[in-house]
Amino acid sequence: MKLLRYGNPGQERPGIVDAQGQVRDLSALVADIGGAALSAESLQTIANTSIDSLPLVDRAVRLGPCVSSVGKFICIGLNYADHAAESGMPVPAEPVVFMKATSAITGPNDPIIKPRNSTKLDWEVELGIVIGKHASYVELDEAMDYIAGYCVINDVSERNFQLERGGQWDKGKGCDSFGPIGPYLVTKDEVADPLNLQLWLKVNGKTFQDGSTKHMVFGPAFLVHYLSQFMSLQPGDVISTGTPPGVGLGQNPPVYLHEGDVVELGIEGMGIQKQIVVNAQ
């Protein structure tokens, strides 16, 4: 299933994509796409419903983040060996973990806001994992049971803030609009192999990233297992799993985003995002 949220910011309603690619309203079944609605039981109830009987939604409606009320937005750094190389950093022996502020989360087609004093605004297409049930000290061979589905994430980054302003990475990762999520939460039953997905990103029509999740250092199951040793994971938590090579920082010379630039990105079977860069007011 492809689940989504639609409507104005802060007023999104739950929806689902039908077999014809149209959006149907899910409000009669769930209050929102998040929390308890992501349990296996809830997802099965939706799957058992006659989708074509649900109300149609206007195609022109804005799509919001595909997950509501995200408690934790966890990111994995340098999780593709070739991206680590272009960043001039070694492949990590264990996952590099950092957090994005949940206030960074936006819809898949909302603008990227270039922060004040930003000089090195960058892009990163990433596969997102959405947690479906409470996970603590999860065994590796059971980790997939805790995943509700997957989504497209743009891990927007400000490299000057991230790498040249002292401290950890968070300053360059958590600015408003730095976490577009969606358009869909694709339930895991529709993803035959999360480690065999093409993902890509273009800026102003030029392809910069064109990779595959098969090059991940640490796959989704291991990441859920690993993270659950350090913190409990809750339904609706999002894990952004790292990016393939082709980020702006890795170009020679580096290429960064400016007002008016158009970023398009997608993952096989999970939809496409499109953002325009605007300056912060």
Side-chain angles (χ1 to χ4, degrees):
M1 297 181 293
K2 292 182 174 67
L3 306 177
L4 54 79
R5 302 172 66 245
Y6 68 92
N8 294 328
Q11 300 176 341
E12 291 94 345
R13 297 167 64 91
I16 187 170
V17 179
D18 67 18
Q20 290 72 45
Q22 302 176 106
V23 175
R24 301 275 180 168
D25 182 78
L26 270 181
S27 299
L29 296 178
V30 293
D32 210 338
I33 305 299
L38 299 176
S39 70
E41 295 76 16
S42 175
L43 294 178
Q44 190 59 53
T45 296
I46 296 172
N48 291 340
T49 300
S50 175
I51 301 302
D52 290 345
S53 68
L54 299 175
L56 277 170
V57 175
D58 186 341
R59 288 178 178 270
V61 72
R62 168 190 174 267
L63 296 182
C66 62
V67 185
S68 69
S69 304
V70 175
K72 290 189 288 296
F73 195 170
I74 308 166
C75 299
I76 308 300
L78 307 175
N79 198 28
Y80 288 70
D82 35 11
H83 172 57
E86 74 170 349
S87 302
M89 299 180 185
V91 176
E94 295 189 33
V96 174
V97 180
F98 63 95
M99 300 282 196
K100 269 187 182 291
T102 54
S103 53
I105 294 173
T106 58
N109 304 314
D110 291 342
I112 294 172
I113 301 171
K114 184 178 182 182
R116 296 179 184 179
N117 304 311
S118 167
T119 59
K120 298 180 178 180
L121 185 63
D122 207 345
W123 58 81
E124 297 187 13
V125 58
E126 307 200 359
L127 175 68
I129 298 168
V130 181
I131 298 298
K133 64 178 181 178
H134 176 90
S136 181
Y137 299 109
V138 171
E139 297 295 335
L140 179 57
D141 61 358
E142 298 176 348
M144 295 298 289
D145 295 341
Y146 294 82
I147 296 176
Y150 303 91
C151 62
V152 181
I153 295 176
N154 189 355
D155 176 17
V156 183
S157 307
E158 214 298 334
R159 303 301 188 187
N160 174 261
F161 295 0
Q162 176 190 358
L163 302 173
E164 302 172 34
R165 298 287 296 272
Q168 298 178 334
W169 289 2
D170 299 60
K171 285 183 287 189
K173 295 287 190 171
C175 302
D176 289 357
S177 81
F178 275 24
I181 296 178
Y184 315 125
L185 187 168
V186 181
T187 52
K188 64 182 177 184
D189 59 290
E190 289 201 5
V191 182
D193 184 359
L195 286 175
N196 189 27
L197 298 170
Q198 292 299 120
L199 62 173
W200 57 270
L201 182 144
K202 298 179 181 180
V203 179
N204 299 328
K206 178 180 178 179
T207 298
F208 281 89
Q209 293 187 277
D210 185 10
S212 171
T213 57
K214 67 184 179 183
H215 297 302
M216 277 188 189
V217 180
F218 306 105
F222 183 84
L223 292 174
V224 172
H225 155 73
Y226 182 84
L227 291 169
S228 75
Q229 311 305 307
F230 302 98
M231 66 190 84
S232 63
L233 304 174
Q234 314 297 332
D237 284 353
V238 173
I239 304 167
S240 201
T241 60
T243 198
V247 301
L249 175 67
Q251 306 303 308
N252 186 19
V255 176
Y256 296 115
L257 295 170
H258 302 281
E259 182 182 23
D261 286 343
V262 178
V263 182
E264 297 173 274
L265 59 149
I267 299 177
E268 179 183 350
M270 296 189 186
I272 295 172
Q273 298 185 359
K274 183 176 181 178
Q275 298 117 20
I276 298 175
V277 180
V278 301
N279 286 330
Q281 299 300 310

